[in-house]
Amino acid sequence: MDMKVAKKLGLKERYSLMTRDLAWDTTYQPMDKVFPQTTYEGIKIHDWDKWEDPFRLTMDAYWKYQAEKERKLYAILDGFNQNNGHLSVTDARYINVLKLFLGSTPPLELMAARGFSMMGRQMNGAGPRVACQMQAVDEYRHFQTQIHSISNYNKYYNGMDEFAHQQSRMWYLSDGKSFFDDAITAGPFEFMVAIGFAFEYVLTNILFVPFISGAAYNGDMAAMTVGFSAQSDEARHMTLGLECIKFMLEQDPDNLPIVQRWIDKWTWRGTRKLASVGMMMDYMLPKRIMSFKEAWEMYVEENGGALFKDLARYGITIPKCFGQTIEEKEHVTHQSWIGFYMKPQATPFHTWIPTPDEMDWLSEKYPNTFDKYYRPVLEHLDAQEKAGNRFDNKTAPMNCQVCVSTMKFNEPGDPMEMCFRESIYNGEKFHTCSDHCKEIFDNEPEKYIQTFISSHQVLQGNCEPEGTDVNAADFKPGQNMLDYWKLDKRALGDFNGSEDQKNFAAWREQATKN
Amino acid sequence: MTMLKTLAPYEVKSRDAVENYKGRQLLYVNWERHRMFSRPFVLALPPETLFSVIVDQYMTDCFSYHPDWKQIDWNTVVWQNGNTPFTPDRDKSLKENGIGHKDLIRFRTPGLDGIAGTGY
């Protein structure tokens, strides 16, 4: 007699067993009390079963694929490290890209992991709950692999070992910290728009595709492999964010204005965060793959624009900031790099003036703006540096109360004017860098009056050894900042003349000559 | 009326309230059309600080790196507190000049538009 074999379960059934079948309705307590965060933002959900889980098709193979990717990744990292891969990059300047990346990205991946773990707990529906948990695992994996891929460089170059300490203290890392603090203290639905949508779309596309391709162009196989391994997850993450938006919009028409406000807010916050990634592409990669402006046009204007067209059927309109971002794509990377160049004593990475041929590349990529507004300044600073008068602005900067960027952006329509906006709340003045940041502040001032602004903390005396009297005649704000930040003195200053530059040249000489 | 969406009432204090500065107040200073400094700088000073100290000491320390600094004709400088025009009295204090906590002093130097007229 033939053996009776049970029919193999279909994809849909397996997904159902592994996700929604694990959920139950509570009996001792009402569901609303168990999931209080799903209602207080004002989002109305009538039927959680309408959630179309973007993970459903990959759920079954997820662990297998991720494990396979991990094995390949670590094989490449090992090979890179054993072959002194740190000497095969184009130029020691490139390593500063990794220093900036290390401080600004893995800690945010960790925050994303925390956030998705929290939101997974708060979503009153088994589909999104499982999807959030899976994304939390991915984010944690990104956090770890990014650090692992850079750890090899840390054996040889300065300024990388205190990134975790610096993340919540350093001025230039405050914008990313603020971005995630803002998102993680929002409700679960806003978090999904902030991270699942704006961060994954606006940021990771540009960070993990053109920037990581730039890593490959510069001979960094470790960063390239991590970037591409991460980007295949990001595609799934974006789908989760987008599904959450569609789900909210399909559930109730009252959700539309709330979601629109979040899309406006987080697209802008993501844009501000991108300025430093663009600076890496335009100024810090010795061998460039494309300009930030080109990347912006491809990934944001074209891809993002198509996405908003797709959402238009729900009544969503293009974010209000879109026009300003198109204008700013010509300027932000130059403004940011000059901003970093002027603070040689306050970053754990080096800065420099681009070489003449690099300036020619910038002229070609930015024909409307570079020669008119930025080349003369860079050439002036270069001449000063060569004359032994390197720019070192020791003053503490003013920051935007919302995005926490230093105030370096121009007034829309006039590249020569600085942009300042001001709000008064409870009798106190609050300054913002743009109309969009001002609008975000004015909508929820209670949230942003708590913003951590590094330069203000210095002046309050919070970065000094205990017992320091800020009113003492000899008190100099900032004199203990290097200790407070745990900055490695060898990592400071201009690239030219740095220990990294000398060591790289000496080691490469040894590696390529007898 | 609170606009912050929370599960329960939530008392929020400003991190930069003037009382956190132990008798001093914050002051921002920006030289318009000289973005080489890329941002206003910020100080915490007693409200009794004379305006001349701001100009002669703090502004000079920060801005004198710029070749335009020496060329400023101080009689033509145009001052603003935020977006409001004002005329500071060098010999009076911040308080007497009506400059409060977190005010942004902006000054324009007509004819001086930064390196090669770039606004930097």
Side-chain angles (χ1 to χ4, degrees), chain A residues 31-42 118-119 121-122 184-188 444, chain B residues 2-12:
Chain A
M31 288 290 273
D32 286 353
K33 275 183 83 177
V34 178
F35 297 100
Q37 292 197 18
T38 45
T39 48
Y40 81 94
E41 293 168 285
M118 286 166 64
M119 303 318 151
R121 164 64 183 85
Q122 295 304 335
I184 214 163
T185 53
E444 273 184 326
Chain B
T2 182
M3 283 171 267
L4 189 68
K5 291 181 171 54
T6 54
L7 284 168
Y10 188 65
E11 191 74 22
V12 186

Coordinates of all heavy atoms in Angstrom, one line a residue, chain A residues 31-42 118-119 121-122 184-188 444, chain B residues 2-12:
Chain A
M31 N -7.5 44.5 24.8 CA -6.4 44.7 23.8 C -5.8 46.1 23.8 O -4.7 46.4 23.7 CB -6.8 44.3 22.4 CG -7.0 42.8 22.2 SD -5.4 41.9 22.2 CE -5.0 42.0 20.4
D32 N -6.8 47.1 24.0 CA -6.4 48.5 24.0 C -5.4 48.9 25.1 O -4.5 49.7 25.0 CB -7.6 49.4 24.1 CG -8.4 49.5 22.9 OD1 -7.9 48.9 21.9 OD2 -9.5 50.0 22.9
K33 N -5.5 48.1 26.2 CA -4.6 48.4 27.3 C -3.3 47.7 27.1 O -2.3 48.2 27.7 CB -5.2 48.0 28.7 CG -6.2 49.0 29.3 CD -6.7 48.6 30.6 CE -5.7 48.9 31.7 NZ -6.3 48.5 33.0
V34 N -3.3 46.7 26.4 CA -2.1 45.9 26.1 C -1.2 46.6 25.1 O 0.0 46.6 25.1 CB -2.4 44.5 25.8 CG1 -1.1 43.7 25.4 CG2 -3.1 43.8 26.9
F35 N -2.0 47.3 24.2 CA -1.3 48.0 23.1 C -1.7 49.5 23.1 O -2.3 50.0 22.1 CB -1.6 47.4 21.7 CG -1.2 46.0 21.6 CD1 -2.1 44.9 21.8 CD2 0.1 45.7 21.3 CE1 -1.6 43.6 21.6 CE2 0.6 44.4 21.1 CZ -0.3 43.3 21.3
P36 N -1.4 50.2 24.1 CA -1.9 51.6 24.3 C -1.3 52.5 23.2 O -1.9 53.5 22.9 CB -1.4 52.0 25.7 CG -0.2 51.1 26.0 CD -0.5 49.8 25.3
Q37 N -0.1 52.2 22.7 CA 0.5 53.2 21.8 C -0.1 53.2 20.4 O 0.2 54.1 19.6 CB 2.0 52.9 21.7 CG 2.7 53.2 23.0 CD 4.2 53.3 22.8 OE1 4.7 53.5 21.7 NE2 5.0 53.2 23.8
T38 N -0.9 52.2 20.1 CA -1.4 52.2 18.7 C -2.6 53.2 18.5 O -3.0 53.5 17.4 CB -2.0 50.8 18.3 OG1 -2.8 50.3 19.4 CG2 -0.9 49.9 18.0
T39 N -3.0 53.9 19.5 CA -4.2 54.8 19.3 C -3.8 56.3 19.6 O -4.4 57.2 19.1 CB -5.3 54.4 20.2 OG1 -4.9 54.2 21.6 CG2 -6.0 53.2 19.7
Y40 N -2.8 56.5 20.5 CA -2.7 57.9 21.0 C -2.1 58.9 19.9 O -2.3 60.1 20.1 CB -1.8 57.9 22.2 CG -0.3 57.9 22.0 CD1 0.4 59.1 22.0 CD2 0.4 56.7 21.9 CE1 1.8 59.1 21.8 CE2 1.7 56.7 21.8 CZ 2.4 57.9 21.7 OH 3.8 57.9 21.6
E41 N -1.6 58.4 18.8 CA -1.1 59.3 17.8 C -2.3 59.8 16.9 O -2.1 60.7 16.1 CB -0.1 58.6 16.9 CG 1.2 58.3 17.5 CD 2.0 57.4 16.6 OE1 1.7 56.2 16.5 OE2 2.9 57.8 16.0
G42 N -3.4 59.2 17.1 CA -4.6 59.6 16.3 C -4.9 58.7 15.1 O -5.8 58.9 14.3
M118 N 11.0 47.8 19.8 CA 9.9 48.5 20.6 C 8.6 48.5 19.8 O 7.6 48.2 20.3 CB 10.4 49.9 21.0 CG 11.4 50.0 22.1 SD 12.2 51.6 22.1 CE 10.8 52.6 22.6
M119 N 8.8 48.9 18.5 CA 7.5 49.0 17.7 C 6.9 47.6 17.5 O 5.7 47.5 17.4 CB 7.8 49.7 16.4 CG 8.5 51.1 16.6 SD 7.8 52.1 17.9 CE 9.2 53.1 18.4
R121 N 6.7 45.4 19.6 CA 5.9 45.2 20.8 C 4.6 46.0 20.8 O 3.6 45.6 21.4 CB 6.7 45.5 22.1 CG 5.9 45.7 23.4 CD 5.3 44.4 23.8 NE 4.5 44.6 25.0 CZ 3.2 45.0 25.0 NH1 2.6 45.3 23.9 NH2 2.6 45.2 26.2
Q122 N 4.6 47.1 20.1 CA 3.5 48.0 20.2 C 2.4 47.9 19.2 O 1.4 48.4 19.3 CB 4.0 49.5 20.2 CG 4.8 49.9 21.5 CD 4.1 49.6 22.8 OE1 2.9 49.6 22.8 NE2 4.9 49.4 23.8
I184 N 12.4 57.5 17.9 CA 12.1 56.5 18.8 C 11.2 56.9 20.0 O 10.6 56.1 20.7 CB 13.5 55.9 19.4 CG1 13.4 54.4 19.6 CG2 14.0 56.6 20.6 CD1 14.7 53.7 19.8
T185 N 11.1 58.2 20.2 CA 10.2 58.8 21.2 C 8.9 59.2 20.6 O 8.0 59.7 21.3 CB 10.9 60.0 21.9 OG1 11.3 60.9 20.9 CG2 12.0 59.6 22.8
A186 N 8.7 58.9 19.3 CA 7.4 59.2 18.7 C 6.6 57.9 18.9 O 7.0 57.0 19.6 CB 7.6 59.4 17.2
G187 N 5.4 57.9 18.4 CA 4.5 56.7 18.5 C 5.0 55.7 17.5 O 5.8 56.0 16.6
P188 N 4.4 54.5 17.5 CA 4.9 53.4 16.6 C 4.6 53.8 15.1 O 5.5 53.4 14.3 CB 4.1 52.2 17.0 CG 2.9 52.7 17.8 CD 3.4 54.0 18.4
E444 N 5.4 70.7 17.5 CA 5.6 70.0 18.7 C 6.8 70.6 19.6 O 7.8 70.0 19.8 CB 6.0 68.5 18.4 CG 4.9 67.6 18.2 CD 5.4 66.2 18.1 OE1 6.4 65.9 17.5 OE2 4.6 65.3 18.5
Chain B
T2 N -0.9 71.7 25.3 CA 0.3 70.9 24.8 C -0.1 70.3 23.4 O -1.2 70.0 23.1 CB 0.6 69.7 25.7 OG1 1.7 69.0 25.2 CG2 -0.5 68.7 26.0
M3 N 0.9 70.3 22.6 CA 0.7 69.7 21.2 C 1.4 68.3 21.2 O 1.2 67.6 20.2 CB 1.3 70.6 20.2 CG 0.3 71.8 19.9 SD 1.1 73.0 18.9 CE 1.7 74.1 20.1
L4 N 2.3 68.1 22.2 CA 3.0 66.8 22.2 C 2.0 65.7 22.4 O 1.2 65.7 23.3 CB 4.1 66.8 23.3 CG 5.1 65.7 23.3 CD1 6.0 65.8 22.1 CD2 5.9 65.8 24.5
K5 N 2.1 64.6 21.6 CA 1.2 63.5 21.8 C 1.9 62.5 22.7 O 2.9 61.9 22.4 CB 0.9 62.9 20.4 CG 0.1 63.8 19.6 CD -0.3 63.2 18.3 CE -1.3 64.0 17.5 NZ -0.9 65.4 17.4
T6 N 1.3 62.3 23.9 CA 1.8 61.4 24.9 C 0.7 60.6 25.5 O -0.5 61.0 25.4 CB 2.5 62.1 26.0 OG1 1.7 63.1 26.6 CG2 3.8 62.9 25.5
L7 N 1.0 59.5 26.1 CA 0.0 58.6 26.8 C -0.5 59.3 28.1 O -1.6 59.0 28.5 CB 0.6 57.3 27.1 CG 0.8 56.3 25.9 CD1 1.6 55.1 26.3 CD2 -0.6 55.9 25.4
A8 N 0.3 60.1 28.7 CA -0.1 60.7 30.0 C 0.5 62.1 30.0 O 1.4 62.4 29.2 CB 0.4 59.9 31.1
P9 N 0.0 63.0 30.9 CA 0.6 64.4 31.0 C 2.1 64.2 31.2 O 2.6 63.4 31.9 CB 0.0 65.0 32.2 CG -1.3 64.2 32.4 CD -1.0 62.8 31.9
Y10 N 2.9 65.1 30.5 CA 4.3 65.0 30.5 C 4.9 66.4 30.7 O 4.7 67.3 29.8 CB 4.8 64.4 29.2 CG 6.2 64.0 29.1 CD1 6.7 63.1 30.0 CD2 7.1 64.6 28.2 CE1 8.1 62.7 30.0 CE2 8.4 64.3 28.2 CZ 8.9 63.3 29.0 OH 10.2 63.0 29.0
E11 N 5.5 66.6 31.8 CA 6.1 68.0 32.1 C 7.5 68.1 31.4 O 8.4 67.2 31.5 CB 6.3 68.1 33.6 CG 6.7 69.4 34.1 CD 5.5 70.4 34.1 OE1 4.3 69.9 34.1 OE2 5.7 71.6 34.0
V12 N 7.6 69.1 30.6 CA 8.8 69.2 29.8 C 9.5 70.5 30.1 O 8.9 71.6 30.1 CB 8.5 69.2 28.2 CG1 9.8 69.2 27.4 CG2 7.6 68.0 27.9

